Amino acid sequence: MNHKQLACALVTAGLALGSGAASASTTWNLNTSTTVPAMSAWYNLNDGKLGSGAVTKWDGGVGVQHLGADGLAGGSSGNADETLSSPQHAMDTEGRFESLLLNFGPQEVKLDKVSIGWVQTDSDFFLLAYTGATPFSGSLANNTYANLLSSGWSLVGNYANGASTGTYNTGASVYSSFWLIGAGAISASGVTNGDGRHDYIKIASVAGVTKIPPPPPPPGVPEPGSLALAGLGLLGLVATRRRWKSA
């Protein structure tokens, strides 16, 4: 192997080791999963800020219950929790816009499938991934739906699915530890019903691939970045030598 070939090999090896890899696709059944992903429920309060609700589990998947402490007429009185009667036992857009936050902990996941196991009236939903530079605390408190897209959250998609259950491909291209699935459609102005009809859905499962970090090098072996720098240095030496010979 000549100097140029060796240098190219070192650069390639350093970049490959530094980029990590992805595992095979994993499906997380949200009705049975209790630890990964961790789930929390969110909805808009009277002042527009997001408050924490309750995650509910049903045969068709998980739903969200918004709570009445903020004065929402969700049940029989003005300060009641949202009723768990059908269809409001699901994640829905009636009264409040409800969403489900998935926390994969230290894992970074590319969430490419969302399965809806129960629908009534309409099943529009949105998907956001946290891609901000500042570490996310795991809480959406003091945020609003309208400011999420300028606070480190990236819109993966709004999905207008009609009144049908099934598994939907999200088209996600990013990895994140935090994903937000919500009923309705989201934009920089906030969340709406999208097509004007209330959405009632239960999320049965999600699926995606997990990024596997590269293993640390054994003792005495240069870090991937050092390998790449060494390769670039050798390429520079080769170029300098050729210029010297041609002079």
Side-chain angles (χ1 to χ4, degrees):
M1 179 182 290
N2 60 35
H3 292 303
K4 185 175 182 181
Q5 290 172 325
L6 176 59
C8 290
L10 286 170
V11 172
T12 303
L15 294 176
L17 285 171
S19 63
S23 69
S25 182
T26 300
T27 297
W28 293 273
N29 294 308
L30 301 187
N31 258 349
T32 57
S33 174
T34 56
T35 56
V36 179
M39 297 182 288
S40 57
W42 297 89
Y43 64 98
N44 54 315
L45 301 172
N46 282 344
D47 60 2
K49 292 183 179 179
L50 298 178
S52 178
V55 177
T56 58
K57 295 186 177 183
W58 309 92
D59 288 342
V62 298
V64 169
Q65 181 189 29
H66 60 246
L67 307 178
D70 62 301
L72 171 68
S76 58
S77 67
N79 200 40
D81 294 345
E82 179 185 28
T83 177
L84 290 179
S85 299
S86 182
Q88 285 186 268
H89 64 315
M91 182 169 70
D92 61 80
T93 60
E94 182 177 348
R96 296 292 159 142
F97 295 104
E98 298 171 346
S99 56
L100 183 69
L101 177 62
L102 305 180
N103 178 354
F104 288 90
Q107 300 181 102
E108 290 188 50
V109 174
K110 179 164 68 72
L111 209 65
D112 48 27
K113 289 182 174 59
V114 173
S115 293
I116 298 176
W118 185 92
V119 172
Q120 184 162 312
T121 308
D122 204 4
S123 64
D124 297 346
F125 71 94
F126 64 83
L127 181 64
L128 304 182
Y130 187 75
T131 57
T134 303
F136 179 56
S137 67
S139 172
L140 294 173
N142 296 318
N143 285 281
T144 66
Y145 282 126
N147 76 6
L148 288 181
L149 295 179
S150 59
S151 302
W153 289 87
S154 297
L155 176 63
V156 178
N158 286 303
Y159 309 90
N161 295 314
S164 58
T165 60
T167 299
Y168 298 93
N169 293 319
T170 67
S173 60
V174 297
Y175 286 85
S176 177
S177 298
F178 297 95
W179 295 81
L180 186 68
I181 306 173
I186 194 170
S187 69
S189 301
V191 178
T192 67
N193 284 322
D195 57 10
R197 298 186 297 167
H198 284 310
D199 303 285
Y200 305 89
I201 60 177
K202 297 174 189 173
I203 308 299
S205 65
V206 295
V209 293
T210 303
K211 182 184 290 185
I212 301 174
V221 176
E223 293 284 347
S226 299
L227 287 174
L229 288 173
L232 291 172
L234 277 175
L235 285 175
L237 288 174
V238 170
T240 301
R241 185 179 179 184
R242 285 184 172 178
R243 285 196 301 269
W244 178 78
K245 283 186 174 181
S246 60

